[in-house]
Every structure is written in structure tokens, then in C-alpha cells.
Amino acid sequence: MEQTSVAADVAAEEIVVNQINLSHPWEWINKGWRDMMNARRYSFTYGAVIVLISGLMTLGLMREGLFYIVPFLAAGFYLLAPIIGLGLYQMSARLEANEPVQFCSALEAWRRNQAQLGVITAGLLIIMQLWMMSNFVLFALLFDGMHPPLENFFGSVFLSGQHNAFAFASIAVGFILAWVAYAISAISVPMLIDRKVDGFTAIRTSVKAVLQNWVPMTFWAVLIVCFIGLGLATFYIGLALMMPLLGHATWHAYRDLVPREQ
């Protein structure tokens, strides 16, 4: 009850968002690299766990003959990355406060505002489900069964020129869902572990930050796509570096975009 009342009081106040420029994303990367090096034992362990879980999930799907789902789960990784990086934000917060970094940072961060973090997590999971469902519908329209051969899918849809309408629809839906997910989660998760605010206030502030600074925030989104893409392209191994780097950098993005509480 106390946590809810505090969150309600903060939500009643309009949270100011700072104006940034195109140089800020690179500053976030530099600060993220510094945090990653200062907490390298914990950061790289965190990244290694992400690689391990991703690899095991992929192997499990291959054994069940569901490998065709893997590319779409990889795309869904972008949607869930803000929650996956939860522990990395907590590490940066501890470094910022000159406090010792420790294991189980994700659990510590979750406990700080777990009910409201659940709101963000549920929203991102719903968006991921919409992404998966939209592609299953596309599969149903293009193929006789629900298990189309992966090696023929991309060539048939994107290269043959026979299904341009479906290809365009898939790309358009994916882009819209990805942009919505990015807008609501760009800084909302770090904000929820830093302040006792409700999830909808954090979402509203995140959307405001993206729209108010749409040029640098779009550039930041492109950097995120490229960095995570490099991690995925190396059969997840690169995620051991890219996820900690982006996670720490996201904390500094939040710090630059939202003024500290007085």
C-alpha cells in the first residue's frame, strides 16, 4: 500500500524531459563501456548467461523441429531487451552511487518496483505475441502448412517478387510494433528501478522523451539495432559484449533524459 501511494503521488506530477542532441548516444556508449569495464566480472557474466539461455532455447527448438520460429524469436529479442537488461541498469546505478556491484543485480532491481515492472513486461510480451501472430497469419496465407521451410521463406517472400503485398505488410507491421515497443521502453525500465513511479507514468515519460528528441532517439534506436544485430549474427556469442554495453549505456540515456529527483 505504501509503495502504491508513493507511486500515485509521483505520477500526479509531470516529469520533465531534457532536450538532447546527436552527440548524446555516443556519450552513452562511452559511459556504458566505462561501466562495463568497471564491473566487467559481473557484466560479462550477465552477458554470458544471456548467450547460454539463447543458445539452449535455439537447440531446444531445433530438436523439436521448430527451427523456423528462431528468426522471429530473434526479432522478439529486440522487444524484450529492455527487460533483459534489468540487472545491468542496477549495476550502473550502484557504480554511480559508489556502491559495490554484486551478483543477482536483476533480482535486486526487480524487487525495487516489481509490480510496476510487471506492467512494462506484460506490455512488451503482448507486443511480441502480436508480432508472432501476425507472421503466423502470413505463413498461413503463403504456405499450405504452419511449418514452412526456412530456406525457402525469405527467397519466396522477399526476392521472388510474387508476394510483394505480403512482404510489405509483414515489414510494416514489424516496424510499427518495434517502434511502439521502443517508445514505451526506451527509458521506462531504468526509471522504474530509480523512482517509485507507476508503470504508466514511466511509459508516458519514455514516449515523451522519444517524441521530444525524435532525431537523436531514432539514432539511438539504430545503434541498438546494429549492436544487437552484431550479437545475433555471431550465433549469440557477441551478445556477451553487446548486451552489457547497451544495458549500461541505457542507464546513462535515462540519466541524461530525465532530471534527477530533488
Side-chain angles (χ1 to χ4, degrees):
M1 291 296 293
E2 181 181 352
Q3 177 176 324
T4 303
S5 62
V6 172
D9 291 340
V10 177
E13 302 177 4
E14 185 64 26
I15 298 177
V16 178
V17 171
N18 291 329
Q19 198 74 31
I20 62 171
N21 55 51
L22 280 171
S23 67
H24 279 83
W26 290 120
E27 293 177 8
W28 303 336
I29 292 295
N30 289 332
K31 292 177 181 178
W33 180 270
R34 180 195 64 198
D35 284 359
M36 185 173 66
M37 291 295 101
N38 288 336
R40 52 185 173 271
R41 175 185 174 189
Y42 304 98
S43 294
F44 291 135
T45 299
Y46 199 97
V49 170
I50 293 174
V51 172
L52 178 62
I53 293 174
S54 300
L56 290 176
M57 289 180 61
T58 300
L59 290 175
L61 289 171
M62 291 176 64
R63 288 191 60 183
E64 297 298 323
L66 300 174
F67 186 74
Y68 75 97
I69 296 178
V70 172
F72 301 100
L73 288 180
F77 186 90
Y78 285 98
L79 302 179
L80 298 180
I83 294 296
I84 296 173
L86 193 64
L88 298 164
Y89 313 146
Q90 186 63 41
M91 291 182 201
S92 286
R94 281 185 164 271
L95 290 171
E96 181 182 89
N98 294 317
E99 297 176 353
V101 180
Q102 59 186 18
F103 284 115
C104 299
S105 294
L107 184 58
E108 177 189 358
W110 182 263
R111 287 173 175 171
R112 293 178 67 86
N113 206 349
Q114 55 187 337
Q116 305 306 319
L117 285 168
V119 172
I120 303 292
T121 303
L124 293 176
L125 286 173
I126 289 172
I127 293 175
M128 185 174 178
Q129 288 296 319
L130 290 174
W131 159 247
M132 295 292 291
M133 289 172 60
S134 66
N135 281 282
F136 284 152
V137 170
L138 179 61
F139 282 162
L141 293 172
L142 288 175
F143 299 92
D144 294 333
M146 291 299 291
H147 302 275
L150 182 65
E151 63 273 13
N152 295 333
F153 174 73
F154 292 102
S156 174
V157 175
F158 297 101
L159 301 179
S160 68
Q162 300 176 5
H163 307 288
N164 290 335
F166 296 114
F168 176 80
S170 179
I171 293 172
V173 170
F175 177 81
I176 292 171
L177 291 176
W179 184 255
V180 170
Y182 172 66
I184 69 175
S185 64
I187 60 170
S188 58
V189 179
M191 185 175 183
L192 286 173
I193 69 173
D194 182 51
R195 304 186 182 201
K196 292 296 183 179
V197 298
D198 64 272
F200 295 104
T201 297
I203 289 173
R204 188 171 68 251
T205 304
S206 182
V207 172
K208 180 179 179 181
V210 171
L211 295 180
Q212 184 173 306
N213 299 281
W214 69 272
V215 174
M217 291 304 286
T218 298
F219 179 51
W220 177 232
V222 171
L223 289 179
I224 291 173
V225 169
C226 292
F227 280 35
I228 292 182
L230 285 173
L232 295 174
T234 56
F235 300 99
Y236 308 129
I237 296 175
L239 292 176
L241 173 66
M242 295 304 174
M243 272 303 297
L245 177 60
L246 290 174
H248 292 302
T250 299
W251 174 261
H252 294 286
Y254 160 67
R255 276 297 188 224
D256 279 348
L257 285 163
V258 180
R260 298 183 186 224
E261 291 181 296
Q262 298 300 319

